[in-house]
Amino acid sequence: MAGKDAVEQGDSRIATGIAGLDEAISGGYPRSSLIMLSGKCGTGRTTFGLQFLIEGAKKGENGVFVTLEKEPQEVMAHAMGYSWEAKKYFEKKMVSVVKPDMHRFDSFKKALEEEIYRAGAKRIVIDSFSLISAYFHEDPYDVRRSISDLARMVRRLDCTAVVIEDILEGSAYLSYTGYKEFVVEGVIVLDIVKKDASTFARTLYVRKMAGTNHSLKLIPFEISSDGITAYPDAEVF
Amino acid sequence: MAGKDAVEQGDSRIATGIAGLDEAISGGYPRSSLIMLSGKCGTGRTTFGLQFLIEGAKKGENGVFVTLEKEPQEVMAHAMGYSWEAKKYFEKKMVSVVKPDMHRFDSFKKALEEEIYRAGAKRIVIDSFSLISAYFHEDPYDVRRSISDLARMVRRLDCTAVVIEDILEGSAYLSYTGYKEFVVEGVIVLDIVKKDASTFARTLYVRKMAGTNHSLKLIPFEISSDGITAYPDAEVF
Amino acid sequence: MAGKDAVEQGDSRIATGIAGLDEAISGGYPRSSLIMLSGKCGTGRTTFGLQFLIEGAKKGENGVFVTLEKEPQEVMAHAMGYSWEAKKYFEKKMVSVVKPDMHRFDSFKKALEEEIYRAGAKRIVIDSFSLISAYFHEDPYDVRRSISDLARMVRRLDCTAVVIEDILEGSAYLSYTGYKEFVVEGVIVLDIVKKDASTFARTLYVRKMAGTNHSLKLIPFEISSDGITAYPDAEVF
Amino acid sequence: MAGKDAVEQGDSRIATGIAGLDEAISGGYPRSSLIMLSGKCGTGRTTFGLQFLIEGAKKGENGVFVTLEKEPQEVMAHAMGYSWEAKKYFEKKMVSVVKPDMHRFDSFKKALEEEIYRAGAKRIVIDSFSLISAYFHEDPYDVRRSISDLARMVRRLDCTAVVIEDILEGSAYLSYTGYKEFVVEGVIVLDIVKKDASTFARTLYVRKMAGTNHSLKLIPFEISSDGITAYPDAEVF
Amino acid sequence: MAGKDAVEQGDSRIATGIAGLDEAISGGYPRSSLIMLSGKCGTGRTTFGLQFLIEGAKKGENGVFVTLEKEPQEVMAHAMGYSWEAKKYFEKKMVSVVKPDMHRFDSFKKALEEEIYRAGAKRIVIDSFSLISAYFHEDPYDVRRSISDLARMVRRLDCTAVVIEDILEGSAYLSYTGYKEFVVEGVIVLDIVKKDASTFARTLYVRKMAGTNHSLKLIPFEISSDGITAYPDAEVF
Amino acid sequence: MAGKDAVEQGDSRIATGIAGLDEAISGGYPRSSLIMLSGKCGTGRTTFGLQFLIEGAKKGENGVFVTLEKEPQEVMAHAMGYSWEAKKYFEKKMVSVVKPDMHRFDSFKKALEEEIYRAGAKRIVIDSFSLISAYFHEDPYDVRRSISDLARMVRRLDCTAVVIEDILEGSAYLSYTGYKEFVVEGVIVLDIVKKDASTFARTLYVRKMAGTNHSLKLIPFEISSDGITAYPDAEVF
């Protein structure tokens, strides 16, 4: 089984599920870390996150998609729109989509932990992470501390988390308010950039990845019926 | 009847009514979704929205135009200024224009639902969506939740909604305050861009469209007595 | 009488009084609409507004200039500085200049309506519209509603209103606060733009005009002793 | 006497005292108006204002310099640093420098009126006008009304006022807060602009001048021991 | 022992641990000073700080890494990811990693002083300094005074401190809020800059260094398994 | 004695101590004035201020350096790092460094006056002036009045004051908040500007100098072991 091999080969790395991306970050995300996937609206972050879970399922690692805004059915329909045989993994409960209540941060964190146990999950996606801070906290210091808390929890549970974060159009920040990127262990930025006066290109950029010798190049990617494919050796312009 | 054919051919897609646009988004909007039509003042959004309803009427699908600022007569006069035979559809009550009271979001949503039932509508336009959030909410989290609520309602009613959103002149946002675009299922941006030092061109841009393999190109369009015509294969510059 | 002819020829259009502009907007403003004339300081808006009233007087349509800041005498002196024989029209009471008190928006609107009746006016200019919102409202929603109210009133009275709006220097907005332009039926922007490193040119730009097939070109204009003359076929640069 | 001639020649115009400027604005400022002299720090506005009063004194018109920040002695020393024989005019009391208390706007205005009477002044300079609004008002509407009040007062007293206004470095506004320029009858902007990477030039720009057919050109000027000399026919670049 | 030599050669300088940097700042940081290491997320500041402590350990100078957000184990794992034999120094307690509680600034400072005594430290790193001001102070004046206090403390204890400061993405400031850089004795800015349309380069810039004749050049650097290497004689572009 | 000569030659001018600068401003600062020395962090302002006092000491004029943030010993060490024989002047008490308490502005001003008397000072430097306004005032009007007060005090005491002001990185202002520059009698801006993509140059710019025919050129300068040397005839680029 291909998944088993991958785990054996590089236990400290976890495959991203994005063709072409693993090779740009030493084989995958650092296992048990919290990676922020930032981007403006329409940059493909949900697809990117789902692909991470499907990849896990293919490798025998269960995953949970935590949706805080869309309904689980919508998210599942989104996944099933691609050629991933997502339905199979949903049915086998290798990929679950849950929508927890948000009342207090502590109870949210507890619900998340229970869900991870219940699903035996090794991979989590939270969509969108912006809502957690918008809902629970206003103070930068508190937000930073909560993210550290979450990061510690996923490490303790030996889970790898990809958290989807909104960047406001026109903002230079790498997150909604500009300071979350300092706390997480990795930052990948998806973007839509102007190629010339009237065409745009999709790009991906590894801004930070703990303990990883990553390049700083803008990597073009495409979204097709197979999902996202990155071209680390191609040029955007 | 042409409308019936269209429905049969691609049940999951709903024709936009804009000549040239359907082909750029796999045949039309995803059925039962909420699409945000954003733009600065004078970019042609009301015409765009009306054309969506007239197209529906031509295909046998009833529609409702919800005006929150202008009087229904004004909106109808606007439609009748084009060569669409709009008067016929207004008289047949295939297109209705209503101006509901706005007191609380819940009662607004309820009134909207009743209107959809009453009219047997499959297509809705809300003009302008900016007013809903300006009037009911100040908190980004509440606004996001309300939009999700509306999106769920139109899905449940099997309606497709085009909501008109204001972008402030000079703003980089895709909506009035910059976060609505993260919640809706599609974003189309109408704009007036400088072609050279003293001429401007009208452009249309599909920024996001759930489950749709859309291009990221600036598409030029024109407004004539026939309404809006898009030229997906033409270049703006 | 020339005025009568014009009315007969195109009842739905009302001549702007600016040589060269009518032809760019299908013969004039849409009758009974509220047109916003926006611009930075010193761009010629008062002259533009007065010329609209003088044109009306020449055509037999009475007009009222509502000044909210300058004294009526100043405004009349301004008009009489041009070769328009303005004095004649002031004396015949075909053009009146009034300065109403501003206490509450409702009483202002009522005073305005009485003035329109009293003068038998078909044309109104309000200078400056920025003061109305600055004085009465702080909330965008209220301001938008007031403008809609005014627009309905002038429509009911079969009057055409040109309202002068301030754009702050360096602002990208088309009005003082950026949202009024969404509510009015037409927006004309007067500007002073840099032609080269040390010379500036006066330009005029029709941004929006309900039911009008207008161009989107920067139109150069000049101010001479005859007032404003626009050159729709000339280039600024 | 030269002054008398000037008055006879063009009663409606009042010489600015700046060599080269009068010819650019139809012979001088409109008599009895309030002209705003805006500029960033160090652009020569005080010199410009003093020169206006010295010119008046030479023509037999008394003037008052109202200083709100510097001491009268400083202002007089500043004037006497030029080759204007300012000392003579100070001694003859043809030019007075006063520093009134600022408590309430009304008492300030009254003190100003008394000073104008006492000095038989036809010319006033207020340095700086920014302080008046900073001290008395915070509300744009009140500031606009106060400026209108002042303008009416100087008109009633047949005085011409040059009011010195601060523009913050890097601001696009023509005054401190961006709306005063809409109320005054004339705006002259003094500036220091980059000529090339390491040299700067002094420029003057008539942005608005009621009833005056002025050019819109950046006019270079110099400050020498004779004060300010403008070169309306020279190019800055 | 190499360390000893270095101390003897230039007692007033303390080696930075970054190959290539010492030569750009007269042999190292001024001993007993507080140096701010500013940068956006992902610019290599933690590695830079750790390398400073490892260099000290190699020279026989003990050091303390004060982490305010990450867990000590994470920081140690980060260090051990490089070829520095960091584990040896952690075991010998030549480099300690501590995470003090933050309640009040005074108790934090006291805890820090005790830690320095306990560890016999000559080198300290605080990561991140942004949190200290975020947590304890809101007032610029208080923040400035606290930094002065800390600087005095490290001087008194004959310690050299490298404090890691966050710069928000897109900000021109050299610290989080823009005024800390005025108080510290040295500022080094790490950055990721665009080399061309799709590649980025890591740069280092000595903005200020008390009593040091430093260059003002952008110095390229790389991060490899040996940590950071600066190339003071190479060009970024 | 050289100092005496200088005083005799140009009593109204006071040498700046910066080689090359005096010639650019008619021989020195206007005596008894308050000059603002503005700049971003690391631009050499403290050195510039100290050099002014050392120059005075060489000419027999005592000076006081008022430090509000750093300790007097630090400031003295800074001065002694240059080839100025600063130690001699500190010992002879020709240059004193004091750090007064800041409680209220009035008591600060009084303490300053006493210090000037005690030291028989003709030259003062305040580092940094930004702290005075940050600490005592929030209101622009009050800050302006305090600066005027200080300026009057130094004039009365026949002292010349160089006050060091912070400019935030990226700010266009010539002071911390943008309005102080309007009140002082002179403004000199020290800066670090980009020469090309990766090198920076130190520049000096006389923005305003009361009663002085100064150039408006960017003047390059260097900091060496002899302190600051300006090159008024050299080009930055």
Side-chain angles (χ1 to χ4, degrees), chain B residues 47-67:
Chain B
T47 300
F48 194 104
L50 285 165
Q51 219 160 325
F52 172 65
L53 299 183
I54 296 293
E55 176 72 14
K58 285 186 186 158
K59 292 187 150 45
E61 295 173 353
N62 288 356
V64 176
F65 191 102
V66 180
T67 171

Side-chain angles (χ1 to χ4, degrees), chain E residues 167-215:
Chain E
I167 300 179
L168 287 174
E169 204 71 24
S171 165
Y173 293 164
L174 304 181
S175 64
Y176 194 84
T177 44
Y179 46 76
K180 283 183 190 172
E181 53 264 52
F182 288 102
V183 193
V184 295
E185 289 152 288
V187 176
I188 291 181
V189 182
L190 301 195
D191 205 356
I192 290 177
V193 301
K194 264 207 160 153
K195 262 183 94 160
D196 53 50
S198 61
T199 55
F200 295 79
R202 299 188 179 278
T203 64
L204 174 162
Y205 169 46
V206 181
R207 177 54 184 268
K208 135 173 166 182
M209 193 61 64
T212 306
N213 199 352
H214 62 89
S215 95

